[in-house]
Amino acid sequence: MDSPLQLFRELLPFGPSSAEQKSVAAVRGLLDTLVGLSPQETVAKLAATVLPTVNRQPNLHMRFKLLEDIRHETEQALPRLEQEISQAVLPLPLVTTTAALHVDNLLKGLSIAYAGIARGINKGQMESGMSHLFHRNLQRAMAMVSRRQLLAYRAYAAPSASSWQTLHDLYQMVRGPLAMPLNGETAPIEHEYLGALLFAYLEPSKLPRSDLEMINICSRQLAAYASIGDALADPAGIKHPDSCFMVRPDEGNPGYPLSRLQASTSTFGSLLVDCSQVLAALDRNITRRPGKTVEPDLNAPPAVLQSLRVAIGGKSSRRFSRTHFRPRGDLVSGFNSVITFLDGNAFSRRSVDAAHRYNGREFTSSEWALVDESPDGFRLRFIKGEKKTLGAGDIVALQPRESSKIHVCFVRRISSSQVRLEIGLQLMSPQVSVVDVTIEEVAGDCRAIFLHSLPAYGKFSGLIIPPGSYRSGQKVLVKLPGRSLLRQLGNCMEANDGLAFFSLDQIPD
């Protein structure tokens, strides 16, 4: 068993021993061999060869320095791999899955290594001289876990329960009377923890993959406005706002809104995250005037910020219960493909036409099982067909087998794992038409999808058009069969790289 003096020598940077020097030289030599390797080869070698060598370094100061060198090399390789994963089709191809596993292994190894240093210092109960190293390693460990979780979200997969348990355990190491009030060492750790929780509360499975990076950055900025503390043993003892979330440190999940708890549930030992000031920060950004500066300055479109506000405010729960059934359907995705599919190219349901079903089409489809449905949507499970770069916010057309009815939907949720891919769809309108439209100040007609009614939004119709320089207030002529409607573009309900979705208003007198 190590004596206190020996532990003290390992923790403080006295002159390096011969073994320590050899260990450092070995790591430096391995890092030199990374030159010229591809990002995936670099990540794999760092995880399999370099990191285990660093973990054998007995001096904790030197081990941290070497881990920082590995982290620097990691930052050179990871962005490209993360981008490839974000843009890959779903379910992920084998080559992309392999790359994701290498990245996950490295991030996991780094988090364990940083946490090991922090635990070593904590176990030795060192004085304030080691405080800086202790807190830096805790923050680094939590950052690596958070990045692992973001990696999972990039593929619409759920982070593991163990990653959440690790975050909870690391945060518990810094909680307590001595950690309050927050200071320059403890604040980054709490913000890292709250940032991960906030991002999870935003339900990344409902967000477009192209927006995940931006929204993750927003959640880190907003973390400074959330507060966390011990929950009351009796949740009925005080009225909490809907924006409060409860976290159980002994459970492998990010927690859940306090409003979902039954009145008799005890919250003893739990943490309460209050996001009231997060909502206020979002409101400042949503309502700010052009040229006005607000804090925090969130670099996100107002529509995205409004979606975040709904999620944090606890107002995004499902409105209808689900009815389970198991038919199959064909799915077509993408604005242009959906228009082609709707415009006279839907599948015939006569068996004699089966041989010609895939001839002469300008789009591809995939087959899905309709797992369940509600009055305003469906949950589908992928069976076979061309893999898609589906994302939350994409438009799709769904036609159940043995039916001539085509449903135009938006993808609202995606869940991906190694064994299945599922998506949640919101049905937009009971009746849709492909139309030509003329928009004021825009040359020529364009093809669009006219939504005759929008039950989930209000008593008005809607229009889904290609993305472009369209704005609210422009007059639009919708050319329906046998008649034309003169309307005005109302609020932009949603917009992304593939489409713009506007409400349609009556022309004011």
Side-chain angles (χ1 to χ4, degrees), residues 264-313:
S264 59
T265 303
S266 173
T267 59
F268 180 77
S270 300
L271 302 174
L272 186 69
V273 181
D274 189 342
C275 298
S276 300
Q277 292 305 310
V278 173
L279 296 183
L282 285 167
D283 288 338
R284 290 195 294 272
N285 280 266
I286 293 171
T287 60
R288 70 170 168 178
R289 298 175 181 176
K292 183 180 179 181
T293 302
V294 298
E295 290 293 338
D297 186 2
L298 303 176
N299 184 24
V304 172
L305 296 177
Q306 184 60 46
S307 298
L308 303 189
R309 196 194 190 289
V310 171
I312 292 295

Short mmCIF file of all heavy atoms in Angstrom, two decimals, residues 264-313:
data_model
loop_
_atom_site.label_atom_id
_atom_site.label_comp_id
_atom_site.label_asym_id
_atom_site.label_seq_id
_atom_site.Cartn_x
_atom_site.Cartn_y
_atom_site.Cartn_z
N SER A 264 -47.82 11.87 -5.48
CA SER A 264 -47.32 11.08 -4.35
C SER A 264 -45.85 10.70 -4.47
O SER A 264 -45.30 10.08 -3.58
CB SER A 264 -48.16 9.81 -4.20
OG SER A 264 -48.09 9.03 -5.39
N THR A 265 -45.20 11.08 -5.56
CA THR A 265 -43.82 10.68 -5.79
C THR A 265 -42.87 11.49 -4.92
O THR A 265 -42.94 12.72 -4.88
CB THR A 265 -43.44 10.88 -7.27
OG1 THR A 265 -44.34 10.14 -8.09
CG2 THR A 265 -42.01 10.40 -7.53
N SER A 266 -41.98 10.80 -4.23
CA SER A 266 -40.98 11.47 -3.41
C SER A 266 -39.80 11.88 -4.27
O SER A 266 -39.36 11.15 -5.16
CB SER A 266 -40.50 10.56 -2.29
OG SER A 266 -39.41 11.15 -1.60
N THR A 267 -39.28 13.08 -4.03
CA THR A 267 -38.11 13.56 -4.77
C THR A 267 -36.87 13.61 -3.87
O THR A 267 -35.91 14.29 -4.19
CB THR A 267 -38.39 14.95 -5.35
OG1 THR A 267 -38.71 15.85 -4.27
CG2 THR A 267 -39.55 14.91 -6.33
N PHE A 268 -36.92 12.90 -2.76
CA PHE A 268 -35.80 12.91 -1.82
C PHE A 268 -34.52 12.43 -2.53
O PHE A 268 -34.51 11.41 -3.21
CB PHE A 268 -36.09 12.00 -0.63
CG PHE A 268 -34.97 11.97 0.38
CD1 PHE A 268 -34.77 13.02 1.26
CD2 PHE A 268 -34.10 10.88 0.42
CE1 PHE A 268 -33.74 12.99 2.18
CE2 PHE A 268 -33.07 10.83 1.34
CZ PHE A 268 -32.89 11.90 2.21
N GLY A 269 -33.44 13.17 -2.34
CA GLY A 269 -32.16 12.82 -2.95
C GLY A 269 -32.02 13.26 -4.39
O GLY A 269 -30.98 13.02 -5.00
N SER A 270 -33.05 13.90 -4.95
CA SER A 270 -33.01 14.32 -6.35
C SER A 270 -32.54 15.76 -6.46
O SER A 270 -32.47 16.51 -5.47
CB SER A 270 -34.39 14.17 -6.99
OG SER A 270 -34.83 12.83 -6.95
N LEU A 271 -32.24 16.16 -7.70
CA LEU A 271 -31.87 17.53 -8.00
C LEU A 271 -32.97 18.20 -8.81
O LEU A 271 -33.64 17.53 -9.61
CB LEU A 271 -30.56 17.56 -8.80
CG LEU A 271 -29.34 16.92 -8.14
CD1 LEU A 271 -28.16 16.91 -9.11
CD2 LEU A 271 -28.98 17.65 -6.86
N LEU A 272 -33.15 19.47 -8.61
CA LEU A 272 -34.16 20.23 -9.33
C LEU A 272 -33.46 21.26 -10.21
O LEU A 272 -32.68 22.08 -9.72
CB LEU A 272 -35.10 20.93 -8.36
CG LEU A 272 -36.30 21.64 -8.99
CD1 LEU A 272 -37.28 20.61 -9.58
CD2 LEU A 272 -37.02 22.51 -7.97
N VAL A 273 -33.74 21.20 -11.51
CA VAL A 273 -33.19 22.16 -12.47
C VAL A 273 -34.30 23.14 -12.85
O VAL A 273 -35.34 22.74 -13.38
CB VAL A 273 -32.65 21.46 -13.74
CG1 VAL A 273 -32.07 22.48 -14.71
CG2 VAL A 273 -31.60 20.41 -13.37
N ASP A 274 -34.11 24.41 -12.54
CA ASP A 274 -35.10 25.45 -12.83
C ASP A 274 -34.64 26.22 -14.07
O ASP A 274 -33.58 26.86 -14.07
CB ASP A 274 -35.23 26.39 -11.64
CG ASP A 274 -36.39 27.38 -11.80
OD1 ASP A 274 -36.87 27.55 -12.94
OD2 ASP A 274 -36.81 27.97 -10.80
N CYS A 275 -35.45 26.16 -15.13
CA CYS A 275 -35.11 26.79 -16.40
C CYS A 275 -35.92 28.06 -16.66
O CYS A 275 -36.04 28.49 -17.82
CB CYS A 275 -35.32 25.80 -17.55
SG CYS A 275 -34.28 24.34 -17.46
N SER A 276 -36.46 28.66 -15.62
CA SER A 276 -37.26 29.88 -15.79
C SER A 276 -36.46 30.99 -16.46
O SER A 276 -36.95 31.67 -17.38
CB SER A 276 -37.78 30.37 -14.43
OG SER A 276 -38.59 29.39 -13.81
N GLN A 277 -35.22 31.18 -16.02
CA GLN A 277 -34.39 32.23 -16.61
C GLN A 277 -33.89 31.84 -18.00
O GLN A 277 -33.54 32.70 -18.80
CB GLN A 277 -33.21 32.56 -15.69
CG GLN A 277 -33.62 33.23 -14.39
CD GLN A 277 -34.44 34.48 -14.63
OE1 GLN A 277 -34.06 35.35 -15.42
NE2 GLN A 277 -35.59 34.57 -13.96
N VAL A 278 -33.86 30.54 -18.29
CA VAL A 278 -33.54 30.10 -19.65
C VAL A 278 -34.63 30.55 -20.61
O VAL A 278 -34.36 31.05 -21.71
CB VAL A 278 -33.38 28.56 -19.70
CG1 VAL A 278 -33.21 28.08 -21.15
CG2 VAL A 278 -32.19 28.12 -18.86
N LEU A 279 -35.89 30.41 -20.19
CA LEU A 279 -37.00 30.88 -21.01
C LEU A 279 -36.92 32.40 -21.21
O LEU A 279 -37.19 32.90 -22.30
CB LEU A 279 -38.34 30.51 -20.36
CG LEU A 279 -38.65 29.02 -20.23
CD1 LEU A 279 -40.05 28.83 -19.64
CD2 LEU A 279 -38.56 28.32 -21.58
N ALA A 280 -36.56 33.12 -20.14
CA ALA A 280 -36.43 34.57 -20.27
C ALA A 280 -35.33 34.94 -21.27
O ALA A 280 -35.48 35.88 -22.06
CB ALA A 280 -36.14 35.19 -18.90
N ALA A 281 -34.22 34.19 -21.24
CA ALA A 281 -33.13 34.44 -22.20
C ALA A 281 -33.58 34.16 -23.63
O ALA A 281 -33.23 34.90 -24.56
CB ALA A 281 -31.92 33.59 -21.83
N LEU A 282 -34.34 33.08 -23.81
CA LEU A 282 -34.87 32.79 -25.14
C LEU A 282 -35.84 33.88 -25.60
O LEU A 282 -35.81 34.29 -26.77
CB LEU A 282 -35.57 31.43 -25.13
CG LEU A 282 -34.67 30.20 -25.10
CD1 LEU A 282 -35.47 28.94 -24.77
CD2 LEU A 282 -33.96 30.03 -26.44
N ASP A 283 -36.68 34.35 -24.70
CA ASP A 283 -37.62 35.42 -25.05
C ASP A 283 -36.90 36.69 -25.49
O ASP A 283 -37.34 37.37 -26.43
CB ASP A 283 -38.54 35.73 -23.87
CG ASP A 283 -39.56 34.62 -23.62
OD1 ASP A 283 -39.83 33.86 -24.57
OD2 ASP A 283 -40.08 34.52 -22.49
N ARG A 284 -35.81 37.02 -24.81
CA ARG A 284 -35.05 38.21 -25.20
C ARG A 284 -34.52 38.09 -26.62
O ARG A 284 -34.48 39.07 -27.37
CB ARG A 284 -33.88 38.45 -24.23
CG ARG A 284 -34.32 38.89 -22.84
CD ARG A 284 -33.14 39.47 -22.06
NE ARG A 284 -32.13 38.45 -21.76
CZ ARG A 284 -32.14 37.68 -20.69
NH1 ARG A 284 -33.15 37.74 -19.82
NH2 ARG A 284 -31.17 36.80 -20.49
N ASN A 285 -34.11 36.89 -27.01
CA ASN A 285 -33.59 36.68 -28.36
C ASN A 285 -34.71 36.63 -29.40
O ASN A 285 -34.55 37.10 -30.52
CB ASN A 285 -32.77 35.39 -28.41
CG ASN A 285 -31.37 35.56 -27.88
OD1 ASN A 285 -30.45 35.81 -28.64
ND2 ASN A 285 -31.20 35.42 -26.57
N ILE A 286 -35.85 36.04 -29.03
CA ILE A 286 -36.96 35.91 -29.98
C ILE A 286 -37.57 37.28 -30.30
O ILE A 286 -37.93 37.55 -31.45
CB ILE A 286 -38.03 34.96 -29.41
CG1 ILE A 286 -37.49 33.52 -29.32
CG2 ILE A 286 -39.30 34.98 -30.27
CD1 ILE A 286 -38.40 32.56 -28.58
N THR A 287 -37.66 38.15 -29.30
CA THR A 287 -38.36 39.43 -29.47
C THR A 287 -37.42 40.61 -29.75
O THR A 287 -37.91 41.73 -29.91
CB THR A 287 -39.19 39.74 -28.22
OG1 THR A 287 -38.31 39.84 -27.08
CG2 THR A 287 -40.21 38.65 -27.96
N ARG A 288 -36.14 40.39 -29.79
CA ARG A 288 -35.24 41.53 -29.94
C ARG A 288 -35.38 42.18 -31.31
O ARG A 288 -35.65 41.51 -32.31
CB ARG A 288 -33.79 41.12 -29.71
CG ARG A 288 -33.18 40.23 -30.77
CD ARG A 288 -31.69 40.10 -30.53
NE ARG A 288 -31.08 39.05 -31.33
CZ ARG A 288 -29.78 38.79 -31.31
NH1 ARG A 288 -28.97 39.52 -30.55
NH2 ARG A 288 -29.29 37.83 -32.05
N ARG A 289 -35.17 43.46 -31.34
CA ARG A 289 -35.27 44.22 -32.58
C ARG A 289 -33.94 44.16 -33.33
O ARG A 289 -32.89 43.98 -32.73
CB ARG A 289 -35.65 45.66 -32.28
CG ARG A 289 -37.02 45.81 -31.62
CD ARG A 289 -37.29 47.25 -31.23
NE ARG A 289 -38.58 47.38 -30.56
CZ ARG A 289 -39.02 48.52 -30.06
NH1 ARG A 289 -38.27 49.63 -30.13
NH2 ARG A 289 -40.22 48.57 -29.47
N PRO A 290 -33.99 44.35 -34.66
CA PRO A 290 -32.74 44.34 -35.45
C PRO A 290 -31.74 45.36 -34.92
O PRO A 290 -32.09 46.51 -34.64
CB PRO A 290 -33.23 44.69 -36.85
CG PRO A 290 -34.66 44.26 -36.89
CD PRO A 290 -35.19 44.51 -35.51
N GLY A 291 -30.51 44.92 -34.78
CA GLY A 291 -29.45 45.81 -34.32
C GLY A 291 -29.31 45.90 -32.82
O GLY A 291 -28.34 46.48 -32.32
N LYS A 292 -30.27 45.35 -32.08
CA LYS A 292 -30.20 45.41 -30.63
C LYS A 292 -29.39 44.25 -30.08
O LYS A 292 -29.52 43.12 -30.54
CB LYS A 292 -31.61 45.40 -30.03
CG LYS A 292 -31.63 45.53 -28.51
CD LYS A 292 -33.05 45.52 -27.97
CE LYS A 292 -33.07 45.64 -26.46
NZ LYS A 292 -34.45 45.61 -25.91
N THR A 293 -28.58 44.51 -29.08
CA THR A 293 -27.75 43.47 -28.46
C THR A 293 -28.43 42.95 -27.21
O THR A 293 -28.93 43.72 -26.39
CB THR A 293 -26.36 44.04 -28.10
OG1 THR A 293 -25.74 44.54 -29.28
CG2 THR A 293 -25.49 42.94 -27.49
N VAL A 294 -28.46 41.63 -27.07
CA VAL A 294 -29.02 41.00 -25.88
C VAL A 294 -28.04 39.95 -25.36
O VAL A 294 -27.12 39.53 -26.07
CB VAL A 294 -30.38 40.32 -26.18
CG1 VAL A 294 -31.40 41.34 -26.63
CG2 VAL A 294 -30.23 39.22 -27.22
N GLU A 295 -28.23 39.57 -24.13
CA GLU A 295 -27.43 38.52 -23.50
C GLU A 295 -28.33 37.39 -23.05
O GLU A 295 -29.34 37.64 -22.40
CB GLU A 295 -26.65 39.08 -22.31
CG GLU A 295 -25.54 40.03 -22.69
CD GLU A 295 -24.40 39.34 -23.43
OE1 GLU A 295 -24.26 38.10 -23.29
OE2 GLU A 295 -23.67 40.04 -24.15
N PRO A 296 -27.97 36.15 -23.41
CA PRO A 296 -26.89 35.77 -24.31
C PRO A 296 -27.29 36.00 -25.76
O PRO A 296 -28.47 35.99 -26.09
CB PRO A 296 -26.73 34.26 -24.03
CG PRO A 296 -28.12 33.81 -23.70
CD PRO A 296 -28.74 34.96 -22.93
N ASP A 297 -26.33 36.20 -26.63
CA ASP A 297 -26.58 36.42 -28.04
C ASP A 297 -26.58 35.06 -28.75
O ASP A 297 -25.53 34.52 -29.06
CB ASP A 297 -25.51 37.33 -28.63
CG ASP A 297 -25.80 37.72 -30.07
OD1 ASP A 297 -26.86 37.31 -30.60
OD2 ASP A 297 -24.99 38.44 -30.68
N LEU A 298 -27.78 34.50 -28.95
CA LEU A 298 -27.92 33.16 -29.53
C LEU A 298 -27.96 33.26 -31.06
O LEU A 298 -28.83 33.94 -31.61
CB LEU A 298 -29.19 32.49 -29.02
CG LEU A 298 -29.31 32.36 -27.49
CD1 LEU A 298 -30.65 31.76 -27.12
CD2 LEU A 298 -28.17 31.50 -26.95
N ASN A 299 -27.04 32.61 -31.70
CA ASN A 299 -26.96 32.65 -33.16
C ASN A 299 -27.82 31.55 -33.77
O ASN A 299 -27.34 30.52 -34.22
CB ASN A 299 -25.51 32.51 -33.61
CG ASN A 299 -25.35 32.65 -35.12
OD1 ASN A 299 -26.18 33.28 -35.78
ND2 ASN A 299 -24.28 32.09 -35.66
N ALA A 300 -29.14 31.78 -33.72
CA ALA A 300 -30.10 30.80 -34.24
C ALA A 300 -31.32 31.54 -34.76
O ALA A 300 -31.69 32.59 -34.23
CB ALA A 300 -30.50 29.79 -33.17
N PRO A 301 -31.98 31.01 -35.81
CA PRO A 301 -33.18 31.66 -36.35
C PRO A 301 -34.30 31.71 -35.31
O PRO A 301 -34.39 30.84 -34.44
CB PRO A 301 -33.57 30.76 -37.54
CG PRO A 301 -32.32 30.01 -37.89
CD PRO A 301 -31.60 29.83 -36.59
N PRO A 302 -35.19 32.70 -35.40
CA PRO A 302 -36.29 32.81 -34.44
C PRO A 302 -37.16 31.57 -34.37
O PRO A 302 -37.63 31.18 -33.29
CB PRO A 302 -37.08 34.02 -34.95
CG PRO A 302 -36.07 34.85 -35.69
CD PRO A 302 -35.13 33.86 -36.31
N ALA A 303 -37.40 30.91 -35.54
CA ALA A 303 -38.23 29.70 -35.53
C ALA A 303 -37.59 28.60 -34.70
O ALA A 303 -38.28 27.87 -33.97
CB ALA A 303 -38.46 29.21 -36.96
N VAL A 304 -36.27 28.48 -34.77
CA VAL A 304 -35.56 27.48 -33.98
C VAL A 304 -35.64 27.83 -32.49
O VAL A 304 -35.90 26.97 -31.64
CB VAL A 304 -34.09 27.36 -34.42
CG1 VAL A 304 -33.30 26.48 -33.46
CG2 VAL A 304 -34.00 26.81 -35.84
N LEU A 305 -35.44 29.11 -32.18
CA LEU A 305 -35.50 29.53 -30.79
C LEU A 305 -36.89 29.30 -30.20
O LEU A 305 -37.03 28.92 -29.04
CB LEU A 305 -35.13 31.01 -30.68
CG LEU A 305 -33.69 31.38 -31.08
CD1 LEU A 305 -33.49 32.88 -30.99
CD2 LEU A 305 -32.68 30.65 -30.23
N GLN A 306 -37.93 29.52 -31.01
CA GLN A 306 -39.28 29.29 -30.53
C GLN A 306 -39.51 27.81 -30.24
O GLN A 306 -40.15 27.44 -29.25
CB GLN A 306 -40.30 29.78 -31.56
CG GLN A 306 -41.75 29.67 -31.11
CD GLN A 306 -42.04 30.48 -29.87
OE1 GLN A 306 -41.65 31.63 -29.76
NE2 GLN A 306 -42.74 29.88 -28.91
N SER A 307 -38.95 26.93 -31.09
CA SER A 307 -39.06 25.49 -30.85
C SER A 307 -38.35 25.10 -29.56
O SER A 307 -38.84 24.25 -28.80
CB SER A 307 -38.46 24.71 -32.04
OG SER A 307 -39.18 24.97 -33.22
N LEU A 308 -37.20 25.72 -29.30
CA LEU A 308 -36.48 25.44 -28.06
C LEU A 308 -37.29 25.91 -26.85
O LEU A 308 -37.32 25.24 -25.82
CB LEU A 308 -35.11 26.14 -28.07
CG LEU A 308 -34.16 25.82 -29.22
CD1 LEU A 308 -32.79 26.42 -28.96
CD2 LEU A 308 -34.05 24.33 -29.45
N ARG A 309 -37.95 27.04 -27.00
CA ARG A 309 -38.75 27.55 -25.90
C ARG A 309 -39.90 26.60 -25.56
O ARG A 309 -40.21 26.36 -24.39
CB ARG A 309 -39.31 28.94 -26.24
CG ARG A 309 -39.81 29.67 -25.01
CD ARG A 309 -40.66 30.87 -25.32
NE ARG A 309 -40.90 31.64 -24.12
CZ ARG A 309 -41.68 31.26 -23.12
NH1 ARG A 309 -42.32 30.09 -23.18
NH2 ARG A 309 -41.83 32.02 -22.05
N VAL A 310 -40.53 26.05 -26.60
CA VAL A 310 -41.63 25.11 -26.38
C VAL A 310 -41.12 23.87 -25.65
O VAL A 310 -41.76 23.37 -24.71
CB VAL A 310 -42.28 24.72 -27.72
CG1 VAL A 310 -43.27 23.59 -27.53
CG2 VAL A 310 -42.99 25.94 -28.33
N ALA A 311 -39.95 23.38 -26.07
CA ALA A 311 -39.41 22.17 -25.45
C ALA A 311 -39.03 22.41 -23.99
O ALA A 311 -39.36 21.61 -23.11
CB ALA A 311 -38.19 21.69 -26.24
N ILE A 312 -38.34 23.51 -23.71
CA ILE A 312 -37.92 23.81 -22.34
C ILE A 312 -39.12 24.15 -21.46
O ILE A 312 -39.16 23.85 -20.27
CB ILE A 312 -36.91 24.97 -22.33
CG1 ILE A 312 -35.60 24.52 -22.98
CG2 ILE A 312 -36.64 25.45 -20.91
CD1 ILE A 312 -34.87 23.44 -22.24
N GLY A 313 -40.14 24.77 -22.07
CA GLY A 313 -41.31 25.15 -21.30
C GLY A 313 -42.23 24.02 -20.95
O GLY A 313 -43.26 24.22 -20.29
#
